[in-house]
Amino acid sequence: MIYIILIAILAVLIVAVALFVRRQNRLTPEKPAREIPADCCGSHAVCERDSLLSSTEEIVYFDDEELDSLSGIPADEMTDAQVKMIEDVFFTLREQDVAGWLRSIQLRRIDLPQFIRDEAFLIVAERREHTAALYAQKHGGQTSPAE
């Protein structure tokens, strides 16, 4: 009989603790998950992935291996089909991939038509401004530190 009473008390205690924990979890607001890009090391105010300078000679492809056939061809000598091939790749890139794609294109010695180059540089500049503004906001208006 004593064992039955002890088991009943133990069961009530387990239920009470479970309800208490559940209520605490419901009252505590969840912090939104902070998304950190996989290719960002986090040690720079402006991520290196937004840089147009290549720190390595490693070519990264953006599912655009077919563009290698354009290596060495001046942009003003490209056919409409060749320009369209570049456009098709460029307009499917994510904004955060544009700087890396430009580095890749440079390493592969592919000359971009002027309108694509201008658009790409505009995207990279806007991303830098946005990143710098976020950094300044986070750090009380300070400019980014020297890297």
Side-chain angles (χ1 to χ4, degrees), residues 82-100:
Q82 290 170 325
V83 171
K84 174 94 169 90
M85 198 166 45
I86 294 173
E87 286 178 333
D88 289 344
V89 173
F90 176 68
F91 290 117
T92 58
L93 290 172
R94 299 179 308 172
E95 276 186 12
Q96 58 263 34
D97 291 337
V98 173

Side-chain angles (χ1 to χ4, degrees), residues 73-78 111 113:
I73 301 174
D76 58 351
E77 294 179 14
M78 289 183 183
D111 194 18

Side-chain angles (χ1 to χ4, degrees), residues 54-141:
S54 179
S55 59
T56 70
E57 294 298 315
E58 178 185 354
I59 295 174
V60 177
Y61 286 92
F62 293 79
D63 198 22
D64 64 347
E65 292 82 0
E66 70 275 9
L67 296 183
D68 284 344
S69 65
L70 304 176
S71 182
I73 301 174
D76 58 351
E77 294 179 14
M78 289 183 183
T79 66
D80 290 341
Q82 290 170 325
V83 171
K84 174 94 169 90
M85 198 166 45
I86 294 173
E87 286 178 333
D88 289 344
V89 173
F90 176 68
F91 290 117
T92 58
L93 290 172
R94 299 179 308 172
E95 276 186 12
Q96 58 263 34
D97 291 337
V98 173
W101 182 71
L102 288 173
R103 285 192 307 269
S104 173
I105 291 296
Q106 178 185 12
L107 289 171
R108 292 154 59 191
R109 293 174 173 59
I110 298 171
D111 194 18
L112 293 177
Q114 190 63 44
F115 74 97
I116 293 178
R117 188 177 316 144
D118 291 345
E119 183 71 23
F121 287 147
L122 180 64
I123 291 170
V124 171
E126 287 175 350
R127 284 190 50 79
R128 283 184 181 166
E129 288 175 16
H130 178 70
T131 303
L134 288 176
Y135 181 86
Q137 181 182 24
K138 183 178 178 183
H139 292 87

